[in-house]
Amino acid sequence: MKIKQAAAKCGLTEKAIRLYEEKGLITPTYTDKNGRQFRDYDEETVARLQTIAALRKSFFSIEQIAEILDHPENIPTVFASYRAELHQKYTDLKPLLERAEELDTN
């Protein structure tokens, strides 16, 4: 399928799909037609894009996603690191949230 169809199926933008290709997360096949090259996305690549989309919605970095996809044996380590990052962000943002809730917005 073409990039527009893949984007619709995955809920991603064409720009995001091109970025994931540039970063090496996916490798579509290319076909030549009338002297032009076109990307072609098979079902396996679309499934990979759907996984990428779900992980990005959970705020995993591209590097973490690459590690998860390319080295599934490292998933426990990646998730432990991810949880530690979330805890740190929570710790950093909690005082700001508490202060914002104290403010009178009237």
Side-chain angles (χ1 to χ4, degrees):
M1 76 184 66
K2 302 300 176 216
I3 193 168
K4 190 173 213 165
Q5 297 164 308
K9 198 166 185 177
C10 300
L12 295 168
T13 65
E14 293 174 32
K15 183 178 179 180
I17 292 173
R18 287 187 194 98
L19 172 69
Y20 300 146
E21 180 183 356
E22 178 186 315
K23 297 293 184 180
L25 295 176
I26 60 165
T27 308
T29 57
Y30 282 86
T31 56
D32 290 320
K33 189 173 183 179
N34 298 327
R36 295 180 57 198
Q37 278 197 329
F38 294 91
R39 291 173 176 91
D40 189 43
Y41 301 87
D42 59 19
E43 290 300 323
E44 184 178 325
T45 303
V46 170
R48 191 169 170 104
L49 283 167
Q50 290 169 328
T51 299
I52 292 166
L55 291 168
R56 288 297 287 157
K57 284 180 183 174
S58 296
F59 302 104
F60 280 88
S61 70
I62 289 175
E63 293 78 15
Q64 289 169 321
I65 293 170
E67 188 70 18
I68 289 168
L69 295 174
D70 296 338
H71 303 284
E73 69 277 8
N74 294 340
I75 289 174
T77 304
V78 173
F79 271 75
S81 172
Y82 173 71
R83 281 190 303 273
E85 288 175 23
L86 288 178
H87 282 293
Q88 187 59 53
K89 286 178 184 176
Y90 174 76
T91 299
D92 293 345
L93 291 174
K94 187 178 177 191
L96 181 61
L97 177 61
E98 290 170 350
R99 181 66 181 130
E101 288 174 345
E102 292 172 1
L103 293 174
D104 181 8
T105 57
N106 292 326

